[in-house]
Amino acid sequence: MDLNEQQQTPPVPPPTTEGPDAPDQETMEQIRRRRLERLGGNGPGSASASGAATPTAASPTSTTPVAGLSASNSPVIASRPQINITPNPLLSTPKSATSSRTGSQIGDDVRTKRPAEEPAVAPPRKQVSAREESFEDYTDRVLGTIFRISVDPARTQDAHGHKLMFLPNMNQELTEEGVPLKLSVERLDGALMEFGYLLPQDKSLFEALLASWKRVVKAIKSLRGATAEKEAMLKEARRLCFSNCMFALTLPDMFSRELHPKLDNLVPYLLREVENENGLCMDFIQEAVARLDEEDIAPLFVKAMVDISSQLSTMSMNDNCKPYVNALKTYSRFPPLLNELAKDPCFQMAQSAAGIEKHTLLGPFFRISTLQPEVAASYFPGPRTMDKVKIQGSQSAQQMSLSTHQDDLRSITNAFIRASSQTRNRVLDWFAYIMNTNHKRRAIQVDPREVSSDGFMMNVTVVLDCLCEPFMDSTFTKVGRIDIDYFRRNPRLDIKEETKLNADQAQSDAFYATKLEGEPNFITEIFFLTLAAHHYGSEATNTKLKSLDRDIKYYEKNIGVMEAERHKLLNRPHQLRQLDDALRKHTTLLERSMAYKYSIEGVLFEPKMQSRSLLFMRYVTVWLLRVASQTEYTPEKQLQLPLPANQPEAFRCLPEYALQDVVDNFKFVFKYVPQIILSAVGDEMIALCITFLESSEYVKNPYLKSSLVTLLSHGTWPVYHLKKGVLGDLLTSTKFANSYLLHAVMKFYIECESTGAHTAFYDKFNIRYEIFQVIKCIWPNDHYRQQLVQSSKSNRPFFVRFVNLLMNDATYVLDEGLGKFPKIHELQQKLRDPNLSQEDREKAEEDLRSAESQATSYMQLANETVGMMKLFTATLSEAFTMPEIVQRLAGMLDYNLEMLTGPKSKNLKVENAEKYFFNAKTLLPELVDIYLNLGHIPTFVEAVAGDGRSYKPSIMTATAHIMRSKHLKDLGDIEKWEALTLKFAAAKEVLDRAEIDFEDAPPEFEDPIMGILMSDPVTLPSNHVVDRSTITQHLLSDPKDPYTRQPMTIDDVVPNEELKARIEAWKTDRRALAMAEVNAKDQGGEPMQTDD
C-alpha cells in the first residue's frame, strides 16, 4: 500500500503487557551530550526553540531544522566539517511543537522520570475519513511506516502488518508535554537516536536505517499531487535518515553501540547489486556524493573501495569477482567519488612491478584474467588429452569471459580519465609506473616474481588500446597531434635504458638532456603509453609462447624417457617410487605449461582485441614515416626515397620498440589471425617496409631490418581467396611499390651478407629465402622485369654484386643440400641392420635426425635460389655472363648437373625424399632452363666447355636421355638442349686444340689466392699482388682487403703494368712453342728439341 495514501486507521486495543524499558537516565544523558556535541552544540540548554542554522550548501536536500532539534545557536566546532543536520524552512512548526521543550529539556526531564513507569496510552482515535486525515496524522503514519517505530504503545504494527518498535522515552516526553502521541519530523532525530539505542546489538543499525532510507525515497517518488508541506516533511526525513546512516557507520558510540564488524561498513552493501533490497541503492550513493564534502563521508566511501580492492587481490576469475568489479563500476558513475579515490595513497602505493596488481587500488581489478594459472587450468583440464575442437571451444569461452571483464575495465578507466584533470593525471601516472617497472619482462630470462603477470599486462594493453580509439580515425587526421618531442618534455615514461633506433647511449643521453618547455597533450601521453604497453604487455606475452613450447618439448622428452625406463625398476621399489615421483612432477609441470600455452593463445587469438591492436599499429606506422621523412605523410600521399641523408635526431633516439612492435604485431596476425588482416592493412605498411629497407641506414638493428622482409614475405602467403596473400596485389600494382620495392629488397639482399652477428652466415639464407618469396610474387608484373634490365645497365657494380651473391648462395646450398643425401642414405641402410647394438642404433638415429634437418633446410633454400636464377637469367642473360661471374657460374651448373645425372646420383636415393623438399624431377629441369637461357652467349658456352672439373659430354647426353624418358621437358626444349650440347662439344674441341700448358709458370706470375696464372695483376692497398678478377670476385662478397681486413673498393687497386708485361711475354713464348709442336705433328715429324 502506498505510504502516502490517506487511510482510516482503526483503533488498536491497549497492549496487555508492558512496553520495553526506556534507557536509564545516565545513559540517555551521555547519548544526548555526545549527540549535541556532534551536531555542533555546547551542552545542555544550548538549543533554543527559536534557533536557526544556515542551510548546508553542499546538499541539494538540505533543509532548516525545526525548533528544539538544532544546536545552531551554540558555538560551532570549527576544527573539521560536520555532517550537518540543518533545518527546512518549508516546514511549518505547529504551536504545540514551538511551545514544547527543547531536546536538552527533554534530556533533563528524563532524569526525573522513572524509566519503569507505565507509558501513557493515547485515547482512542476518532474515526475520520481518508480525506479528513490531518497533516499530523499523515506524518505520524508515514514516519512510523518508514522507520518502523512508534510512540504510541497501542500502535504495534503499521498498516502493512510490519512490527513497529515502541520508543518509551519519546512516549514519556510527549506525555509530559501533553501533546498527542504522534511522530513528527521535528522529533525524528531524537526518535532515531532512541531507535539506535534500543536496537539489539547483534543487529546492524546501518542496515535498519538503510532500509528506512529506501522506504522514504520510495515514498517521495510516489507522491502524487501532494502538498508542499508533505513533500518537505519527507525530504527532511530523508535527510535525517541519511545523516543517521553515516553516524551509524562512523560514530556508533553516539547510539551507545559497538561497531558491527561485518555489517556496519559499506563493503557488503556495495558488493550487492544496486537493485538488491539489501544493497546500496543509487539514490543513497547520489545523496552521499551530494554531501561528499561533509566530514567522514568521502573517507568512508574511499575506505570501502580500498577494502574491496584488497579483498579482490586474493581472488581469481574462478571466484565470484563480478560483484567487486560492479562496485567500482557503480563508483565510476560519480566523478566526485573517483576524484576522492585518486587522491587516496592506496591509488598508487606499490613499490615493485609484482606489487602493482595487489597493492594499488586498480591493480586487483586489472589482475583478474583467464591467464591466472588456476583459471587456465580450469579452462583446459587434462590438456594432454584435449583434441583441437575442445581446445578451440575452451578458448572461445575464455575469450568471451575475458572480453566482458575488459569491457568493464575500459568503462571504469574511461570514467577515471574523464572525472577531472587531476584524476586523469593520477591514472596516467599509474599506467606509466606499470611500464617503468616492467622492463624486465623483455629480458631473455624472466623471473615472474620481479614483474607483473601476463594477465595483468594484457588487460592494461587492451584498455590503453581502447583509450586510443577516439583519435584513431581512418584518415589519420589527428596523427599530427602526436608530439615527437614527448620524451623531452618531462615524460612519464622512462626509456633511458632502452635500445634506440639509430643512436648509441651517449647520443641519446645528449639529445634528451636538452629539455623543452610545455606539457604534452593527452593524445601524445596515451599514444606513447600504449606503445610501451604493447612492448611490455602483449609482445612480451607473445614471446612467452616460444619458451612454453621449449618447456613442453623438454617435459615430453623426459616423460618419454622415464616411462621407457620404468619397467626396468619393477624389482627395485625404492628407485621405482623415486621415478614415479619424478614422473608425476614432470606430468604436472607439462600439463600446467600446456594449459597456460592454450590460454595465452586464446587471449592473443581474440579477433576484436587484435583488430584494435592493428588499428593502433597503423597509426604508429604513419607517425614513424612522418617523423623519418620530415613530411606530412599519410597513405594517400607519396613518399620520396631515399630518405634525407640527414636523419632527424628525434627519430634516431626513439626507442627501438617503436618500430619492432609494429612489425611483430603484424607478423603475429599474418600467421595466426589472418581473417582480420583483410580489412586492417593499408598502403602505409608496405611504405614502412620499403622505406626502411631502401634507407636502411635509418635503422641500426639488422634483425629489425630483416623483420621488414619477413613482414613482406608473410604478406604474400595465400590466405582464403587471395592466392598472392594480403599484400600480393598491393605489391604488384601500387605506384610506390613499383618505384622502389625491387631495388629495396635487392639492396638488402646484399646488405644481409654481413650482419655483424655470430650467426650472420646462416641468418642471410633465411633472409634471402623470404626475399625470393617477395620477388616471385611480383615477377609477373612486366614493370619489375623492365626495371631490373635498366638497373643492370645504369648501376652495373650494384647488379654485379647482387648476381655474384646469388650465385654464391646457389653454389653453397646446393652443395650442402645434395651432399647430405649420401650420408642419409648410408644411415638409413645402417639402421635396417637388425643386429645393430642399441648404443650404435641410438647414435645412428641421432646422426640421421641431424642430417635430415640440415638437408631439409638447405634444399628449401636451394630450390628457391635456383628458381631465382632461372627467373633472372631469362631476363638478364648478359648480366650472368660477365667476366667476373661466368666461369664460376658454369662450374656450379656443371657440378650439380653431374650430381643429378651422373654416377653419383645413386647416392641421392633416400626414403621419402619429398620430406626433405628434394625432387630431382623438379630440380633438373630448372638447371637445364638456366643452361638454355644463357646458351646463346658465346662466353657462357666457352666457360662450360672450359670447365675441366665437371664438364663431360657424357653427362650432357645422359641429361637429354633422362629428360626424354621421364618426360621432364617438352620435345622442343629437349631438342634445344641437344643442340646446346653440340655447341659445348665443339667449343671443347677448339679449346683442346689450342690448349697451352701454363702449369710451369714462375711463382711470381701466379695469383696467391686462387693459384692461377694472372692475366691482369693489380697491387692492393696492403701491397700484395693478385689478379684483378680475383679481387673483383672477393669484393663482391666482402668489401675488405683479404690480407688486412681493412675496407676497400676496386678503385683502390693499382694496375701492375710491369708484371703484366712480363706475364704476357712469357705467355707469348709458350704459345709459340706450343704452335711449333702442333705444326711438327701435323707434318708427321718430331717436334724440334729446344733444350740442350
Side-chain angles (χ1 to χ4, degrees):
M1 183 181 295
D2 194 334
L3 295 177
N4 301 288
E5 183 181 336
Q6 294 184 353
Q7 60 181 341
Q8 182 174 350
T9 305
V12 179
T16 57
T17 59
E18 291 187 357
D21 292 340
D24 61 79
Q25 297 177 8
E26 182 179 358
T27 300
M28 202 62 192
E29 175 63 15
Q30 292 174 354
I31 295 174
R32 182 189 62 78
R33 291 181 180 278
R34 286 195 299 269
R35 186 71 165 185
L36 291 176
E37 181 180 355
R38 179 67 177 173
L39 295 175
N42 198 25
S46 61
S48 66
S50 60
T54 304
T56 305
S59 173
T61 59
S62 297
T63 52
T64 307
V66 294
L69 290 181
S70 175
S72 56
N73 288 342
S74 308
V76 178
I77 299 175
S79 61
R80 55 182 179 174
Q82 304 292 317
I83 297 178
N84 297 313
I85 301 180
T86 50
N88 188 339
L90 295 178
L91 289 176
S92 58
T93 306
K95 293 183 179 180
S96 60
T98 56
S99 62
S100 65
R101 290 158 291 178
T102 65
S104 55
Q105 292 171 328
I106 293 174
D108 291 338
D109 287 346
V110 169
R111 292 191 294 272
T112 62
K113 181 76 174 180
R114 291 193 303 274
E117 185 175 337
E118 183 73 21
V121 179
R125 298 185 180 184
K126 181 179 179 181
Q127 299 287 333
V128 295
S129 65
R131 293 183 178 179
E132 295 177 352
E133 184 180 33
S134 66
F135 175 71
E136 290 78 8
D137 289 339
Y138 171 84
T139 301
D140 177 54
R141 174 175 59 81
V142 171
L143 294 181
T145 301
I146 289 172
F147 294 99
R148 304 282 168 84
I149 56 177
S150 172
V151 293
D152 185 350
R155 188 184 178 201
T156 59
Q157 294 181 341
D158 64 8
H160 307 288
H162 298 119
K163 185 177 179 181
L164 305 181
M165 176 183 287
F166 176 65
L167 306 179
N169 191 57
M170 185 65 68
N171 171 275
Q172 179 181 343
E173 291 182 12
L174 295 174
T175 302
E176 290 179 353
E177 294 176 15
V179 297
L181 300 180
K182 297 179 181 179
L183 289 169
S184 64
V185 73
E186 295 85 354
R187 301 181 184 272
L188 181 58
D189 194 50
L192 292 179
M193 182 173 67
E194 185 175 353
F195 170 78
Y197 179 84
L198 295 175
L199 190 71
Q201 289 287 342
D202 61 344
K203 293 186 178 181
S204 169
L205 175 59
F206 175 76
E207 185 172 302
L209 291 173
L210 180 62
S212 298
W213 162 268
K214 293 183 177 182
R215 289 190 289 269
V216 72
V217 168
K218 183 178 180 181
I220 293 174
K221 291 181 178 179
S222 61
L223 284 174
R224 295 292 185 272
T227 63
E229 189 177 35
K230 290 181 180 180
E231 182 179 358
M233 180 273 295
L234 286 173
K235 288 183 176 180
E236 177 67 4
R238 179 182 65 181
R239 186 184 62 80
L240 292 174
C241 182
F242 180 84
S243 297
N244 280 276
C245 284
M246 295 297 100
F247 287 138
L249 295 175
T250 57
L251 292 171
D253 58 330
M254 293 180 61
F255 302 92
S256 295
R257 300 179 62 84
E258 297 294 332
L259 189 66
H260 200 292
K262 292 184 178 181
L263 296 178
D264 283 341
N265 66 81
L266 292 176
V267 172
Y269 305 96
L270 287 168
L271 294 180
R272 298 167 187 155
E273 296 291 338
V274 292
E275 294 83 7
N276 189 303
E277 61 176 329
N278 294 322
L280 287 189
C281 62
M282 202 58 68
D283 296 286
F284 187 90
I285 300 175
Q286 288 173 346
E287 181 75 9
V289 171
R291 300 169 64 170
L292 207 58
D293 292 336
E294 298 181 11
E295 183 184 14
D296 290 342
I297 294 181
L300 192 67
F301 276 81
V302 170
K303 183 181 182 304
M305 188 50 63
V306 170
D307 290 344
I308 287 174
S309 175
S310 178
Q311 293 177 25
L312 187 61
S313 68
T314 63
M315 302 171 66
S316 73
M317 191 170 272
N318 284 344
D319 301 311
N320 185 24
C321 56
K322 187 65 175 178
Y324 296 80
V325 178
N326 286 341
L328 186 54
K329 283 182 66 178
T330 300
Y331 272 46
S332 68
R333 299 175 63 175
F334 302 98
L337 280 181
L338 299 183
N339 292 335
E340 294 298 326
L341 290 178
K343 294 176 187 176
D344 191 79
C346 184
F347 191 82
Q348 187 174 330
M349 63 182 293
Q351 300 299 318
S352 66
I356 297 172
E357 54 189 284
K358 287 193 173 184
H359 305 308
T360 61
L361 185 72
L362 293 177
F365 296 91
F366 279 79
R367 177 175 174 269
I368 297 298
S369 171
T370 56
L371 291 182
Q372 292 173 289
E374 60 271 33
V375 182
S378 67
Y379 273 100
F380 304 96
R384 298 175 70 189
T385 60
M386 294 181 72
D387 58 27
K388 187 174 181 180
V389 175
K390 288 184 178 180
I391 292 171
Q392 291 177 344
S394 296
Q395 288 175 339
S396 296
Q398 174 194 27
Q399 290 169 356
M400 292 177 62
S401 298
L402 186 59
S403 178
T404 300
H405 179 62
Q406 289 172 344
D407 287 343
D408 291 339
L409 294 178
R410 173 186 184 176
S411 64
I412 290 169
T413 306
N414 196 46
F416 271 98
I417 292 292
R418 296 176 180 275
S420 68
S421 59
Q422 293 80 7
T423 299
R424 178 173 62 246
N425 287 331
R426 291 281 286 172
V427 173
L428 295 178
D429 288 341
W430 184 72
F431 281 126
Y433 183 75
I434 294 171
M435 308 309 158
N436 294 335
T437 55
N438 273 291
H439 288 195
K440 290 184 179 180
R441 278 180 58 85
R442 297 314 305 263
I444 297 176
Q445 296 291 334
V446 180
D447 185 348
R449 296 169 298 182
E450 296 180 354
V451 296
S452 298
S453 67
D454 294 319
F456 175 81
M457 294 301 295
M458 282 301 304
N459 285 338
V460 168
T461 304
V462 169
V463 168
L464 286 171
D465 271 339
C466 292
L467 292 179
C468 291
E469 282 185 310
F471 66 81
M472 293 192 300
D473 60 308
S474 60
T475 55
F476 303 93
T477 57
K478 297 183 180 179
V479 69
R481 297 186 61 186
I482 301 171
D483 186 3
I484 181 57
D485 291 316
Y486 168 76
F487 291 109
R488 302 173 74 188
R489 301 188 192 277
N490 296 316
R492 289 180 164 89
L493 287 173
D494 178 15
I495 61 167
K496 182 177 177 62
E497 303 301 324
E498 288 293 338
T499 303
K500 306 306 185 294
L501 269 174
N502 199 22
D504 57 28
Q505 190 67 47
Q507 292 171 324
S508 172
D509 291 345
F511 177 71
Y512 288 125
T514 304
K515 299 298 182 182
L516 300 179
E517 296 182 356
E519 295 292 330
N521 56 57
F522 176 73
I523 289 180
T524 300
E525 291 272 17
I526 210 67
F527 174 83
F528 283 102
L529 282 172
T530 307
L531 191 58
H534 277 276
H535 185 60
Y536 303 117
S538 58
E539 296 305 324
T541 303
N542 181 15
T543 302
K544 185 164 289 187
L545 283 176
K546 298 177 182 178
S547 64
L548 285 172
D549 283 333
R550 290 194 298 268
D551 292 344
I552 290 170
K553 291 179 181 178
Y554 172 79
Y555 295 137
E556 287 177 337
K557 178 181 177 181
N558 285 358
I559 289 173
V561 171
M562 286 187 282
E563 289 176 342
E565 295 293 321
R566 192 177 187 279
H567 70 279
K568 301 178 181 179
L569 302 177
L570 294 177
N571 296 326
R572 287 177 277 181
H574 177 69
Q575 294 181 1
L576 183 62
R577 282 195 299 273
Q578 291 181 329
L579 180 67
D580 287 342
D581 288 343
L583 189 58
R584 281 192 295 271
K585 180 179 179 181
H586 274 72
T587 301
T588 300
L589 292 173
L590 173 61
E591 292 191 343
R592 186 181 302 166
S593 297
M594 293 180 71
Y596 197 54
K597 175 193 172 183
Y598 295 150
S599 189
I600 289 179
E601 289 176 344
V603 172
L604 293 178
F605 293 174
E606 206 280 310
K608 286 177 57 180
M609 184 272 289
Q610 287 294 354
S611 295
R612 282 194 300 266
S613 178
L614 283 185
L615 180 60
F616 175 74
M617 291 305 167
R618 289 185 64 194
Y619 245 73
V620 178
T621 298
V622 172
W623 180 78
L624 283 173
L625 290 172
R626 290 166 69 100
V627 175
S629 65
Q630 304 174 61
T631 65
E632 299 298 314
Y633 168 78
T634 53
E636 65 272 8
K637 299 178 182 179
Q638 185 84 0
L639 278 174
Q640 295 298 319
L641 297 183
L643 294 175
N646 186 19
Q647 300 179 25
E649 282 294 312
F651 178 84
R652 296 180 61 194
C653 295
L654 281 174
E656 191 176 84
Y657 65 71
L659 178 58
Q660 185 72 62
D661 288 353
V662 174
V663 177
D664 289 346
N665 192 266
F666 273 99
K667 283 165 55 180
F668 181 86
V669 173
F670 274 129
K671 187 173 183 179
Y672 296 110
V673 204
Q675 66 269 23
I676 70 169
I677 202 72
L678 301 177
S679 60
V681 171
D683 293 349
E684 69 280 347
M685 195 189 74
I686 293 176
L688 179 80
C689 296
I690 296 176
T691 297
F692 292 117
L693 288 174
E694 179 65 34
S695 298
S696 56
E697 65 276 8
Y698 269 61
V699 181
K700 180 171 59 176
N701 186 346
Y703 293 107
L704 180 52
K705 288 185 279 191
S706 68
S707 295
L708 298 171
V709 176
T710 303
L711 188 55
L712 290 175
S713 174
H714 287 187
T716 64
W717 290 352
V719 53
Y720 301 114
H721 62 286
L722 302 174
K723 294 182 179 181
K724 291 185 177 182
V726 177
L727 299 182
D729 291 337
L730 294 175
L731 293 175
T732 304
S733 60
T734 59
K735 182 179 178 181
F736 185 76
N738 290 165
S739 300
Y740 302 110
L741 173 61
L742 188 58
H743 185 271
V745 295
M746 290 176 63
K747 179 175 182 286
F748 193 66
Y749 187 102
I750 296 171
E751 285 186 14
C752 71
E753 178 70 18
S754 177
T755 62
H758 67 283
T759 59
F761 181 78
Y762 300 100
D763 293 338
K764 68 181 181 182
F765 292 115
N766 295 325
I767 296 170
R768 288 169 178 172
Y769 175 85
E770 293 175 335
I771 289 176
F772 293 152
Q773 308 312 307
V774 177
I775 293 176
K776 283 197 302 183
C777 176
I778 65 175
W779 198 250
N781 187 343
D782 288 339
H783 173 82
Y784 286 109
R785 291 198 291 272
Q786 296 170 6
Q787 192 180 80
L788 197 62
V789 174
Q790 294 173 359
S791 175
S792 67
K793 296 177 180 178
S794 62
N795 193 357
R796 188 171 184 272
F798 171 85
F799 197 78
V800 168
R801 190 172 182 195
F802 171 78
V803 171
N804 179 72
L805 292 174
L806 179 64
M807 190 175 62
N808 286 349
D809 289 350
T811 303
Y812 179 80
V813 296
L814 278 170
D815 187 50
E816 289 293 322
L818 296 178
K820 292 292 183 292
F821 290 114
K823 184 176 182 180
I824 293 173
H825 177 79
E826 177 187 347
L827 290 169
Q828 288 176 343
Q829 294 294 330
K830 185 177 182 179
L831 288 170
R832 290 194 184 99
D833 183 1
N835 299 321
L836 193 65
S837 67
Q838 181 65 27
E839 182 178 352
D840 290 342
R841 182 173 295 277
E842 290 178 357
K843 173 125 184 5
E845 289 175 347
E846 182 65 29
D847 291 343
L848 179 60
R849 282 193 293 269
S850 176
E852 288 179 336
S853 175
Q854 293 177 9
T856 301
S857 298
Y858 284 124
M859 286 311 303
Q860 283 184 280
L861 293 168
N863 293 333
E864 296 298 330
T865 307
V866 172
M868 283 298 100
M869 292 186 68
K870 174 185 172 182
L871 292 179
F872 284 180
T873 54
T875 304
L876 300 166
S877 55
E878 293 82 3
F880 283 85
T881 55
M882 291 181 287
E884 301 95 329
I885 294 171
V886 65
Q887 290 182 348
R888 293 177 56 234
L889 174 60
M892 182 270 291
L893 292 173
D894 291 343
Y895 175 80
N896 287 289
L897 190 66
E898 183 183 12
M899 285 288 294
L900 292 174
T901 62
K904 297 180 181 179
S905 62
K906 296 179 181 179
N907 295 329
L908 300 179
K909 294 181 180 180
V910 295
E911 298 174 3
N912 193 14
E914 290 76 14
K915 77 175 185 179
Y916 311 117
F917 297 93
F918 172 58
N919 188 342
K921 295 180 181 180
T922 301
L923 184 58
L924 178 60
E926 291 199 329
L927 288 176
V928 169
D929 283 337
I930 297 174
Y931 276 101
L932 295 176
N933 290 340
L934 304 175
H936 65 285
I937 301 177
T939 54
F940 174 72
V941 174
E942 292 175 3
V944 171
D947 176 21
R949 182 186 70 162
S950 301
Y951 170 71
K952 297 179 180 66
S954 60
I955 297 297
M956 300 294 174
T957 303
T959 300
H961 173 72
I962 292 172
M963 289 192 296
R964 191 184 299 273
S965 62
K966 302 290 185 182
H967 305 287
L968 301 182
K969 299 287 288 183
D970 59 42
L971 185 59
D973 286 338
I974 295 175
E975 291 176 349
K976 290 179 181 178
W977 173 257
E978 290 172 337
L980 183 60
T981 299
L982 295 176
K983 292 174 67 174
F984 290 149
K988 174 65 175 172
E989 183 178 352
V990 172
L991 290 174
D992 288 343
R993 287 175 58 85
E995 183 177 358
I996 302 173
D997 185 9
F998 291 144
E999 292 183 358
D1000 59 344
E1004 66 267 24
F1005 292 176
E1006 293 183 351
D1007 182 275
I1009 296 177
M1010 301 299 294
I1012 61 173
L1013 181 65
M1014 291 186 289
S1015 60
D1016 187 6
V1018 294
T1019 303
L1020 305 182
S1022 59
N1023 290 325
H1024 291 81
V1025 178
V1026 299
D1027 193 71
R1028 182 181 293 275
S1029 64
T1030 299
I1031 190 61
T1032 299
Q1033 292 181 15
H1034 170 79
L1035 293 177
L1036 290 174
S1037 303
D1038 185 4
K1040 295 178 182 177
D1041 189 309
Y1043 293 97
T1044 63
R1045 306 301 300 156
Q1046 294 299 313
M1048 67 167 290
T1049 66
I1050 195 64
D1051 296 331
D1052 296 327
V1053 303
V1054 178
N1056 193 325
E1057 299 295 347
E1058 185 272 336
L1059 180 59
K1060 181 177 180 180
R1062 289 169 54 201
I1063 294 173
E1064 288 297 328
W1066 182 83
K1067 290 167 66 177
T1068 300
D1069 292 342
R1070 299 300 294 174
R1071 289 191 188 100
L1073 180 61
M1075 289 302 297
E1077 293 177 353
V1078 170
N1079 292 333
K1081 288 182 180 179
D1082 290 343
Q1083 296 172 6
E1086 294 294 328
M1088 182 177 62
Q1089 297 292 328
T1090 59
D1091 52 347
D1092 296 334

